[in-house]
Amino acid sequence: VDDPGSAALLAAAPPQEQKQMVGEGLFPVIQQTHADLAGKITGMLLEIDNSELLHMLENQQALKAKMEEAVAVLQAHQAKENEVKK
């Protein structure tokens, strides 16, 4: 959500619609750095409260930090699953 007009539009939307709009904004950004995990990371981030999501859309550093957190969780989960399979 690059321009202030769309942020206002987003803020006025019902919560479920906000999630949809935020997801559509987050996915391409996440896909640039984590193409293979973009869907999972977007889904994880959408569990976060809408107000925090709006902040992350406006603040690339906050978004980047949350993305890295999500990737770490996914990697830890994957490592655990690999251990179980051995």
Side-chain angles (χ1 to χ4, degrees):
V1 185
D2 293 332
D3 67 279
S6 52
L9 208 92
L10 190 61
Q16 201 47 49
E17 243 174 80
Q18 282 183 351
K19 289 273 188 217
Q20 177 77 31
M21 293 164 78
V22 169
E24 289 169 2
L26 287 175
F27 186 80
V29 175
I30 295 168
Q31 203 172 25
Q32 290 172 7
T33 51
H34 301 289
D36 52 335
L37 296 172
K40 280 187 176 180
I41 293 170
T42 304
M44 290 170 75
L45 294 183
L46 288 177
E47 298 292 317
I48 297 170
D49 185 63
N50 279 1
S51 59
E52 194 175 336
L53 287 170
L54 292 175
H55 169 70
M56 287 179 355
L57 280 175
E58 293 166 3
N59 182 329
Q60 291 296 308
Q61 283 308 108
L63 175 58
K64 195 167 164 36
K66 278 290 181 198
M67 276 173 32
E68 297 310 317
E69 213 174 287
V71 169
V73 168
L74 286 170
Q75 287 173 340
H77 179 72
Q78 191 62 50
K80 196 180 265 183
E81 279 194 356
N82 290 343
E83 283 299 309
V84 172
K85 288 177 185 170
K86 286 184 181 173

